Amino acid sequence: MSAELDSTDRKILELLQKDARLPNKDLAERVGVAPSTALERVRSLRRRGLITAFRAEVDTQALGRPLEALLALRVRPHTSQLVDPLRAFVLGLPETIALFHVAGPQDFLVHVAVPDADHLHRLILERILVRPEIVHLETTLIFRTERRTVQGPVG
C-alpha cells in the first residue's frame, strides 16, 4: 500500500491526522495543489481504505471517567461460537474504549475508562467475570496515555 502513496498523498494524510476538520481549501494550499486536486486525492485515499473515518477525539477525564485500565482476558474454549458474542458484549459496555484480539498468553485486551476504582471493581466482578467463557483476567491501571498523532508508511 505504501508504494502507491506519493509525497502529496503522504502530506494529505499527515495534515488530516493532525486536523481532520481542515477545510479543503486550506488543505490544498498547504499541500501545494489545486482544491479540486486535493478533494480528489482525499476521495481516492478514502476509496483505497487509507482514510477510514473522520472523528472527534474525546477526553474521557472530562466525561467523568478519569481512571483507565487494560483488562487482559483469557477465554476457553477459544472458538468463534464464544469469541463473537464476547466481542459484541465487550464493545457494548459503555466503559469500553477499545478491544484488541491478541496472540500470546491472553486472548483479548480491553481498554476501559471508568469514574473510579469502585466502578472498575464492580465492572470486573459483576459484568465481566460472571461470563463463563472468561477463565482469567488481569488488570493493569494506566497512568498516562501518549499517542503518536500521525501515522504513515514505515520505510
Side-chain angles (χ1 to χ4, degrees):
M1 198 59 90
S2 64
E4 298 175 24
L5 296 177
D6 63 16
S7 60
T8 301
D9 289 335
R10 289 174 193 243
K11 187 66 177 173
I12 288 170
L13 287 173
E14 176 186 339
L15 291 168
L16 289 178
Q17 285 179 85
K18 288 179 180 176
D19 181 4
R21 295 184 61 190
L22 187 64
N24 186 63
K25 180 176 128 306
D26 295 343
L27 177 65
E29 184 178 304
R30 291 184 191 178
V31 175
V33 297
S36 60
T37 301
L39 184 61
E40 183 48 42
R41 290 292 189 114
V42 171
R43 286 179 179 157
S44 172
L45 290 166
R46 290 189 72 187
R47 229 181 358 261
R48 293 185 290 159
L50 283 116
I51 296 176
T52 58
F54 294 94
R55 64 178 59 94
E57 196 166 310
V58 177
D59 182 351
T60 55
Q61 187 162 350
L63 289 175
R65 298 166 51 191
L67 182 62
E68 293 185 43
L70 288 176
L71 309 179
L73 309 178
R74 192 175 314 138
V75 300
R76 292 295 174 264
H78 196 146
T79 64
S80 293
Q81 291 83 1
L82 290 179
V83 167
D84 293 341
L86 178 63
R87 286 177 50 245
F89 167 76
V90 170
L91 290 171
L93 294 170
E95 295 89 351
T96 299
I97 294 175
L99 172 65
F100 304 93
H101 193 173
V102 297
Q106 309 302 334
D107 299 312
F108 292 95
L109 293 175
V110 184
H111 183 187
V112 298
V114 295
D116 53 41
D118 286 336
H119 189 111
L120 179 61
H121 188 242
R122 285 191 313 278
L123 173 67
I124 290 168
L125 289 180
E126 298 171 10
R127 303 287 312 278
I128 296 174
L129 285 178
V130 297
R131 294 188 64 96
E133 70 271 29
I134 298 175
V135 297
H136 183 78
L137 183 146
E138 290 180 22
T139 304
T140 302
L141 294 180
I142 299 172
F143 292 132
R144 181 183 312 168
T145 301
E146 298 180 44
R147 301 178 203 269
R148 286 196 59 208
T149 57
V150 176
Q151 301 298 318
V154 177

mmCIF file of all heavy atoms in Angstrom, residues 11 27 40 42 49 56 67 74-75 93 95 98 108 116 118 125-126 134 147:
data_model
loop_
_atom_site.group_PDB
_atom_site.id
_atom_site.type_symbol
_atom_site.label_atom_id
_atom_site.label_comp_id
_atom_site.label_asym_id
_atom_site.label_seq_id
_atom_site.Cartn_x
_atom_site.Cartn_y
_atom_site.Cartn_z
ATOM 1 N N LYS A 11 1.483 13.796 2.496
ATOM 2 C CA LYS A 11 1.274 15.090 3.143
ATOM 3 C C LYS A 11 -0.202 15.271 3.514
ATOM 4 O O LYS A 11 -0.520 15.758 4.607
ATOM 5 C CB LYS A 11 1.746 16.231 2.221
ATOM 6 C CG LYS A 11 1.724 17.586 2.863
ATOM 7 C CD LYS A 11 2.729 17.688 3.995
ATOM 8 C CE LYS A 11 2.739 19.094 4.567
ATOM 9 N NZ LYS A 11 3.581 19.197 5.761
ATOM 10 N N LEU A 27 -6.284 22.750 3.020
ATOM 11 C CA LEU A 27 -5.520 21.533 2.744
ATOM 12 C C LEU A 27 -4.780 21.671 1.418
ATOM 13 O O LEU A 27 -3.572 21.406 1.335
ATOM 14 C CB LEU A 27 -6.457 20.317 2.715
ATOM 15 C CG LEU A 27 -5.832 18.972 2.372
ATOM 16 C CD1 LEU A 27 -4.846 18.530 3.439
ATOM 17 C CD2 LEU A 27 -6.924 17.922 2.186
ATOM 18 N N GLU A 40 -10.034 15.384 -4.820
ATOM 19 C CA GLU A 40 -9.966 14.077 -5.490
ATOM 20 C C GLU A 40 -8.962 13.156 -4.796
ATOM 21 O O GLU A 40 -9.197 11.956 -4.679
ATOM 22 C CB GLU A 40 -9.604 14.238 -6.969
ATOM 23 C CG GLU A 40 -9.583 12.925 -7.726
ATOM 24 C CD GLU A 40 -10.807 12.047 -7.506
ATOM 25 O OE1 GLU A 40 -11.949 12.561 -7.480
ATOM 26 O OE2 GLU A 40 -10.635 10.821 -7.337
ATOM 27 N N VAL A 42 -8.205 13.146 -1.556
ATOM 28 C CA VAL A 42 -8.841 12.671 -0.319
ATOM 29 C C VAL A 42 -9.863 11.591 -0.651
ATOM 30 O O VAL A 42 -9.920 10.554 0.013
ATOM 31 C CB VAL A 42 -9.488 13.836 0.467
ATOM 32 C CG1 VAL A 42 -10.336 13.316 1.612
ATOM 33 C CG2 VAL A 42 -8.415 14.790 0.978
ATOM 34 N N GLY A 49 -9.123 2.904 1.149
ATOM 35 C CA GLY A 49 -9.121 2.412 2.521
ATOM 36 C C GLY A 49 -8.003 2.945 3.391
ATOM 37 O O GLY A 49 -7.807 2.469 4.511
ATOM 38 N N ALA A 56 -14.006 12.854 16.123
ATOM 39 C CA ALA A 56 -13.546 13.727 17.201
ATOM 40 C C ALA A 56 -12.980 12.849 18.306
ATOM 41 O O ALA A 56 -13.542 11.817 18.639
ATOM 42 C CB ALA A 56 -14.707 14.555 17.742
ATOM 43 N N LEU A 67 -10.262 7.247 35.386
ATOM 44 C CA LEU A 67 -9.456 6.049 35.638
ATOM 45 C C LEU A 67 -9.519 5.118 34.431
ATOM 46 O O LEU A 67 -10.591 4.662 34.047
ATOM 47 C CB LEU A 67 -9.958 5.321 36.889
ATOM 48 C CG LEU A 67 -9.186 4.069 37.297
ATOM 49 C CD1 LEU A 67 -7.741 4.404 37.642
ATOM 50 C CD2 LEU A 67 -9.876 3.397 38.470
ATOM 51 N N ARG A 74 -8.488 -14.052 29.204
ATOM 52 C CA ARG A 74 -8.251 -15.347 28.583
ATOM 53 C C ARG A 74 -9.580 -16.073 28.549
ATOM 54 O O ARG A 74 -10.281 -16.116 29.569
ATOM 55 C CB ARG A 74 -7.227 -16.150 29.385
ATOM 56 C CG ARG A 74 -6.730 -17.368 28.640
ATOM 57 C CD ARG A 74 -5.611 -18.102 29.374
ATOM 58 N NE ARG A 74 -4.605 -17.188 29.878
ATOM 59 C CZ ARG A 74 -4.059 -17.306 31.097
ATOM 60 N NH1 ARG A 74 -4.422 -18.249 31.926
ATOM 61 N NH2 ARG A 74 -3.149 -16.445 31.498
ATOM 62 N N VAL A 75 -9.940 -16.602 27.391
ATOM 63 C CA VAL A 75 -11.220 -17.304 27.249
ATOM 64 C C VAL A 75 -10.972 -18.759 26.864
ATOM 65 O O VAL A 75 -9.983 -19.088 26.224
ATOM 66 C CB VAL A 75 -12.148 -16.635 26.208
ATOM 67 C CG1 VAL A 75 -12.477 -15.213 26.596
ATOM 68 C CG2 VAL A 75 -11.549 -16.663 24.824
ATOM 69 N N LEU A 93 -20.301 -2.510 26.238
ATOM 70 C CA LEU A 93 -20.142 -1.898 27.563
ATOM 71 C C LEU A 93 -19.793 -0.422 27.399
ATOM 72 O O LEU A 93 -18.875 -0.083 26.647
ATOM 73 C CB LEU A 93 -19.025 -2.599 28.347
ATOM 74 C CG LEU A 93 -19.256 -4.044 28.749
ATOM 75 C CD1 LEU A 93 -17.964 -4.658 29.304
ATOM 76 C CD2 LEU A 93 -20.375 -4.136 29.784
ATOM 77 N N GLU A 95 -18.170 1.434 29.263
ATOM 78 C CA GLU A 95 -16.817 1.696 29.778
ATOM 79 C C GLU A 95 -15.729 1.396 28.750
ATOM 80 O O GLU A 95 -14.598 1.868 28.869
ATOM 81 C CB GLU A 95 -16.556 0.848 31.037
ATOM 82 C CG GLU A 95 -17.442 1.190 32.214
ATOM 83 C CD GLU A 95 -18.758 0.412 32.235
ATOM 84 O OE1 GLU A 95 -19.084 -0.290 31.251
ATOM 85 O OE2 GLU A 95 -19.465 0.515 33.247
ATOM 86 N N ALA A 98 -11.627 0.491 23.703
ATOM 87 C CA ALA A 98 -11.106 -0.299 22.585
ATOM 88 C C ALA A 98 -11.000 -1.758 22.998
ATOM 89 O O ALA A 98 -10.851 -2.074 24.180
ATOM 90 C CB ALA A 98 -9.737 0.218 22.152
ATOM 91 N N PHE A 108 -7.618 -11.378 24.738
ATOM 92 C CA PHE A 108 -8.144 -10.039 24.480
ATOM 93 C C PHE A 108 -7.525 -9.043 25.444
ATOM 94 O O PHE A 108 -7.252 -9.369 26.606
ATOM 95 C CB PHE A 108 -9.670 -9.984 24.684
ATOM 96 C CG PHE A 108 -10.444 -10.763 23.682
ATOM 97 C CD1 PHE A 108 -10.844 -12.058 23.945
ATOM 98 C CD2 PHE A 108 -10.776 -10.196 22.458
ATOM 99 C CE1 PHE A 108 -11.556 -12.784 23.017
ATOM 100 C CE2 PHE A 108 -11.492 -10.914 21.520
ATOM 101 C CZ PHE A 108 -11.882 -12.214 21.798
ATOM 102 N N ASP A 116 -14.075 5.633 38.823
ATOM 103 C CA ASP A 116 -13.226 5.413 39.992
ATOM 104 C C ASP A 116 -12.932 3.922 40.160
ATOM 105 O O ASP A 116 -13.440 3.081 39.420
ATOM 106 C CB ASP A 116 -13.881 5.972 41.258
ATOM 107 C CG ASP A 116 -15.295 5.454 41.475
ATOM 108 O OD1 ASP A 116 -15.545 4.256 41.261
ATOM 109 O OD2 ASP A 116 -16.164 6.259 41.854
ATOM 110 N N ASP A 118 -13.865 1.865 42.515
ATOM 111 C CA ASP A 118 -15.051 1.075 42.870
ATOM 112 C C ASP A 118 -15.826 0.670 41.620
ATOM 113 O O ASP A 118 -16.299 -0.459 41.510
ATOM 114 C CB ASP A 118 -15.969 1.855 43.820
ATOM 115 C CG ASP A 118 -15.411 1.940 45.223
ATOM 116 O OD1 ASP A 118 -14.602 1.063 45.600
ATOM 117 O OD2 ASP A 118 -15.787 2.882 45.940
ATOM 118 N N LEU A 125 -16.093 -7.600 38.508
ATOM 119 C CA LEU A 125 -16.750 -8.688 39.243
ATOM 120 C C LEU A 125 -18.180 -8.965 38.794
ATOM 121 O O LEU A 125 -18.585 -10.124 38.698
ATOM 122 C CB LEU A 125 -16.753 -8.385 40.743
ATOM 123 C CG LEU A 125 -15.408 -8.458 41.449
ATOM 124 C CD1 LEU A 125 -15.578 -8.121 42.923
ATOM 125 C CD2 LEU A 125 -14.762 -9.820 41.271
ATOM 126 N N GLU A 126 -18.929 -7.912 38.518
ATOM 127 C CA GLU A 126 -20.361 -8.085 38.254
ATOM 128 C C GLU A 126 -20.733 -8.169 36.777
ATOM 129 O O GLU A 126 -21.820 -8.643 36.447
ATOM 130 C CB GLU A 126 -21.147 -6.939 38.909
ATOM 131 C CG GLU A 126 -20.989 -6.911 40.421
ATOM 132 C CD GLU A 126 -21.589 -5.665 41.062
ATOM 133 O OE1 GLU A 126 -22.299 -4.904 40.362
ATOM 134 O OE2 GLU A 126 -21.321 -5.450 42.263
ATOM 135 N N ILE A 134 -14.832 -16.660 30.300
ATOM 136 C CA ILE A 134 -13.632 -15.959 30.770
ATOM 137 C C ILE A 134 -13.037 -16.766 31.919
ATOM 138 O O ILE A 134 -13.641 -16.909 32.978
ATOM 139 C CB ILE A 134 -13.960 -14.520 31.189
ATOM 140 C CG1 ILE A 134 -14.481 -13.748 29.978
ATOM 141 C CG2 ILE A 134 -12.722 -13.843 31.781
ATOM 142 C CD1 ILE A 134 -14.951 -12.353 30.262
ATOM 143 N N ARG A 147 -0.046 9.154 22.548
ATOM 144 C CA ARG A 147 -0.225 8.595 21.210
ATOM 145 C C ARG A 147 0.579 9.391 20.197
ATOM 146 O O ARG A 147 0.712 10.603 20.325
ATOM 147 C CB ARG A 147 -1.697 8.673 20.787
ATOM 148 C CG ARG A 147 -2.645 7.959 21.661
ATOM 149 C CD ARG A 147 -4.077 8.176 21.139
ATOM 150 N NE ARG A 147 -5.056 7.982 22.145
ATOM 151 C CZ ARG A 147 -5.643 6.820 22.398
ATOM 152 N NH1 ARG A 147 -5.317 5.771 21.710
ATOM 153 N NH2 ARG A 147 -6.546 6.717 23.341
#
